[in-house]
Amino acid sequence: MEVSEEKKGDVLIVGVSGKLEVTNSRAFEERILAVIDAGERQLVVDLSRLDYVSSAGLRVFVTAAKLLNSANGKIVFCSLKEPVREVFDIAGFFSIFSVYDSQDEAVKSL
Amino acid sequence: MSAEMTVFFNNQLSEIERLGQIVNEFAERHQWSPQALFEVNVALEELLTNVISYAYEDTQDHEITLHLAFADGEMTAELEDDGQPFNPLEKAEPDLSTPLEERPIGGLGIFLARKFMTDLTYQRHDGKNLLKLKKTITNEE
């Protein structure tokens, strides 16, 4: 699992790649919480290079979204690969999160 | 080429990484589709994580056994631990109709495992917890 950050205007794009599982989800959560703590309020989570996610990763997304919601911020997702899309679907995430096909669309939505 | 294997895990979350490698090798050997591999991986990660996190009240080392088999397009997996009686399948299904504010942070792991398996059952026998997983798997095109 690797995490990247890129700033586009007021939006922070967080890319997470590889496998997001129970053994590394805490490290990912710490990264996300750190950027929110540092004042980022508009997050695009780019999943174009994420091949694997389990419930441990889903917890981080829900935690970050709740935190940003209560701080008048927003988190959106983009570029889901098929396995990740399937997990989002089963978890009912399409009804609570905005998910875009491309990073551009995601950035423009904020 | 054996279509069966037995692996032992310690009750440490770091074992999940090794679980992933083992399942990957097994899937490769039997030419599972990437989709099937992914679904088995997630289901086993969720169930093993649950055992490691909740089955033991002490801080001792425990051995958890995974038996994996594949024949005639069906995978069977048995996960056995000597922890306290614990049936993860008794957990209520998550309510997916609630808005974000009311969603619990967790509670999706067992739900994913159930969805990804054709059959998932729990038994308590001889002082052990036994989870049996079955999944119909189509080979890679």
Side-chain angles (χ1 to χ4, degrees):
Chain A
M1 191 266 302
E2 277 181 40
V3 184
S4 63
E5 291 171 28
E6 186 194 347
K7 194 86 197 229
K8 280 194 179 170
D10 290 334
V11 177
L12 183 74
I13 296 150
V14 178
V16 54
S17 65
K19 279 185 87 171
L20 183 53
E21 56 187 354
V22 69
T23 51
N24 57 30
S25 62
R26 186 157 301 203
F28 177 58
E29 180 167 89
E30 280 169 9
R31 271 299 273 281
I32 291 262
L33 297 185
V35 301
I36 296 171
D37 206 38
E40 298 295 345
R41 289 295 175 265
Q42 299 189 305
L43 256 61
V44 169
V45 180
D46 188 324
L47 300 178
S48 59
R49 292 171 63 217
L50 189 68
D51 303 309
Y52 179 104
V53 69
S54 63
S55 68
L58 301 183
R59 293 174 73 98
V60 181
F61 296 149
V62 174
T63 302
K66 281 175 181 269
L67 204 60
L68 281 166
N69 254 17
S70 61
N72 293 319
K74 199 176 177 193
I75 188 167
V76 301
F77 298 84
C78 75
S79 315
L80 277 59
K81 290 174 116 172
E82 193 43 47
V84 178
R85 178 171 291 278
E86 189 188 9
V87 168
F88 266 53
D89 188 33
I90 293 172
F93 276 13
F94 288 104
S95 61
I96 51 169
F97 294 138
S98 300
V99 180
Y100 298 91
D101 288 339
S102 72
Q103 195 191 96
D104 278 354
E105 284 173 74
V107 171
K108 276 182 199 144
S109 77
L110 291 171
Chain B
M1 287 292 174
S2 166
E4 281 186 51
M5 69 184 295
T6 302
V7 198
F8 301 97
F9 294 100
N10 198 345
N11 54 322
Q12 302 281 335
L13 277 183
S14 58
E15 290 281 70
I16 298 295
E17 214 169 301
R18 195 161 67 88
L19 169 73
Q21 289 161 7
I22 287 161
V23 176
N24 266 293
E25 283 165 24
F26 193 79
E28 206 166 283
R29 205 185 307 156
H30 300 294
Q31 299 177 305
W32 294 356
S33 67
Q35 170 92 2
L37 163 62
F38 172 75
E39 294 177 355
V40 172
N41 244 333
V42 170
L44 286 173
E45 177 191 326
E46 302 293 359
L47 295 170
L48 183 57
T49 298
N50 232 341
V51 171
I52 294 170
S53 308
Y54 305 115
Y56 303 107
E57 277 175 332
D58 58 41
T59 52
Q60 309 288 310
D61 278 351
H62 291 272
E63 194 175 72
I64 303 157
T65 310
L66 172 67
H67 182 76
L68 261 181
F70 181 64
D72 301 326
E74 188 176 70
M75 179 222 63
T76 52
E78 294 186 357
L79 196 61
E80 191 178 63
D81 68 79
D82 64 350
Q84 55 184 320
F86 179 75
N87 180 0
L89 308 181
E90 278 174 356
K91 207 169 151 53
E93 290 213 345
D95 181 357
L96 303 179
S97 65
T98 53
L100 175 65
E101 301 73 45
E102 293 162 28
R103 286 278 177 121
I105 300 286
L108 291 168
I110 300 303
F111 184 62
L112 285 177
R114 272 180 188 277
K115 289 280 175 184
F116 285 154
M117 291 298 115
T118 316
D119 192 43
L120 178 54
T121 57
Y122 168 85
Q123 289 169 29
R124 178 80 187 172
H125 78 120
D126 298 338
K128 290 184 173 180
N129 297 304
L130 178 64
L131 284 161
K132 287 188 178 181
L133 297 75
K134 283 187 181 168
K135 184 175 176 66
T136 308
I137 289 178
T138 48
N139 280 45
E140 210 163 9
E141 293 295 311

